[in-house]
Amino acid sequence: EAQLVESGGGLVQPGGSLRLSCAASGITVDDYVIGWFRQAPGKEREGVSCIDSRVDDTYYADSVEGRFTISGDSAKNTVYLDINRLEPDDTAVYSCAAVWGADPVMVCSDAYEFNFWGRGTQVTVSS
């Protein structure tokens, strides 16, 4: 059974950085497109970044381009999301998800394309 577990969230001051991890079991991250999504209270879920590690193809939402970096570690079967220059608007629950056989650019804006989901990790940006 596929399982995704996020970690690395927390309370950070504006301008700070975090590394979120998405550890997979039951699937191999290199065989799937892995996406990071976030949802803030009262807002719709947003796909922020996706990766197809096998071909090193990535996608970033305009709202995070230049501040977020997604990467995969095959040996650890884990996908990371490095977040820099955090802003209060980045406050949300961040979840990772997996879908097989997709184009990260095409699917990252549609959460319903993804088959497997983690429970999420809270990121709070506040002074």
Side-chain angles (χ1 to χ4, degrees), residues 29-30 51 53 70-75 78-80:
V29 295
D30 283 356
I51 186 169
S53 297
I70 192 169
S71 61
D73 185 332
S74 300
T78 297
V79 171
Y80 301 102

Side-chain angles (χ1 to χ4, degrees), residues 7-26:
S7 61
L11 174 62
V12 186
Q13 291 187 343
S17 300
L18 279 176
R19 165 169 271 201
L20 306 184
S21 299
C22 173
S25 60

Side-chain angles (χ1 to χ4, degrees), residues 53-68:
S53 297
R54 187 166 41 184
V55 295
D56 199 23
D57 193 9
T58 59
Y59 164 87
Y60 296 96
D62 290 343
S63 57
V64 307
E65 182 83 55
R67 297 189 300 120
F68 288 24

Side-chain angles (χ1 to χ4, degrees), residues 31-54:
D31 293 337
Y32 286 75
V33 168
I34 306 297
W36 280 98
F37 294 80
R38 67 183 181 184
Q39 189 163 21
K43 293 186 177 180
E44 292 189 358
R45 183 164 47 190
E46 175 189 17
V48 297
S49 185
C50 291
I51 186 169
D52 181 344
S53 297
R54 187 166 41 184

